[in-house]
Amino acid sequence: MLKWGSTILLALCLIVIFYTTRDEEPPAPTAGQMEIYGFDVGQGDSTFIRTKEDAILIDGGNNGKGEDVVRYLQKLGIKRLTAVIATHPDADHIGGLDTVLDAFPVDSVYAPRVTHTTETYRDFLLAVKREGVTIKSVKAGLKIPSEAARFTFLAPLTDGTQDLNSWSAVLRVEHGQDRFLFMGDAPIRTEQQLLESNTDVRADVLKLGHHGADTSS
Ligand SMILES: [Zn+2]
């Protein structure tokens, strides 16, 4: 009797361990699958896209939110990021990226060609330097190489203005029949430029520009 009891107990323990592990680290997408996560970073942006081959982070929330982003990524079992996109130098987008860059090996960093004088932006640049990569300048037409999906930047189409939002990297993701548009903080000026340039902006999912504020959309 004791022997059977122990066997059942052991089996139960294994099931519990199995489910706990599964909860901690969901299985990575298989070929043909894509996952998109919107991380909760409070007032700020952080979006994560992954396929079997790609692990792409768009923005990393404000200063102090980087550790949350690192934890979210670790929970997903992420060991390496294939691309980090800093949509523009505002703190609620790049603030946490230095922490993320220090926590993971990162293959490529994408950002628009605009600088900023804040300490937050300097921290981001220093973290990129520590990573040993050079920033790829985002402009309309640039693609992130991928076998699994098509990642195309639609903006900035031209140089932005004093308003940093007008430099926002806009990313279109095409995966099979599905299309997603990530607008960063792109303002109405950028939206008008996209329409005037006849850029194909049709999408199944639109991540609204500038957190849904009335300066966009
Ligand atoms: Zn913002």
Side-chain angles (χ1 to χ4, degrees):
M1 274 307 282
L2 189 65
K3 198 179 158 199
W4 274 109
S6 313
T7 310
I8 290 166
L9 192 65
L10 180 67
L12 283 173
C13 285
L14 286 175
I15 289 168
V16 169
I17 290 165
F18 179 68
Y19 276 103
T20 310
T21 313
R22 271 180 67 93
D23 185 49
E24 287 292 309
E25 197 174 301
T30 55
Q33 290 184 327
M34 186 168 77
E35 294 176 349
I36 299 179
Y37 297 85
F39 292 152
D40 181 1
V41 289
Q43 155 58 38
D45 260 7
S46 186
T47 306
F48 180 60
I49 305 169
R50 78 163 170 175
T51 69
K52 191 163 180 272
E53 296 93 14
D54 311 294
I56 299 174
L57 181 71
I58 308 175
D59 293 333
N62 232 315
N63 281 306
K65 292 293 180 184
E67 276 159 27
D68 287 355
V69 175
V70 169
R71 213 173 316 118
Y72 292 140
L73 291 168
Q74 283 169 343
K75 267 196 167 177
L76 294 172
I78 300 302
K79 306 271 189 298
R80 157 177 230 101
L81 293 169
T82 56
V84 165
I85 301 167
T87 58
H88 63 298
D90 275 353
D92 56 331
H93 296 255
I94 62 154
L97 285 183
D98 52 345
T99 307
V100 174
L101 282 158
D102 286 342
F104 297 95
V106 175
D107 296 338
S108 301
V109 177
Y110 295 82
R113 194 188 287 276
V114 60
T115 56
H116 201 25
T117 53
T118 57
E119 201 163 317
T120 300
Y121 187 70
R122 203 183 59 118
D123 288 347
F124 163 68
L125 291 181
L126 289 173
V128 173
K129 202 173 172 193
R130 283 195 293 276
E131 194 68 41
V133 296
T134 48
I135 295 176
K136 294 184 201 303
S137 283
V138 173
K139 55 176 191 260
L142 182 72
K143 289 178 195 306
I144 301 174
S146 167
E147 299 281 312
R150 287 204 286 175
F151 299 94
T152 313
F153 288 103
L154 306 185
L157 281 134
T158 59
D159 283 356
T161 63
Q162 292 273 69
D163 173 22
L164 287 174
N165 293 337
S166 68
W167 288 87
S168 273
V170 172
L171 183 71
R172 182 179 66 202
V173 179
E174 296 164 275
H175 181 258
Q177 299 293 311
D178 304 318
R179 278 172 167 235
F180 305 83
L181 211 51
F182 299 95
M183 297 298 293
D185 277 0
I188 288 170
R189 175 185 187 267
T190 305
E191 294 174 342
Q192 279 168 346
Q193 285 178 337
L194 284 169
L195 294 175
E196 281 160 16
S197 68
N198 284 322
T199 305
D200 187 355
V201 290
R202 286 174 303 167
D204 301 288
V205 177
L206 169 68
K207 163 75 170 62
L208 288 171
H210 205 191
H211 318 267
D214 63 3
T215 48
S216 313
S217 311

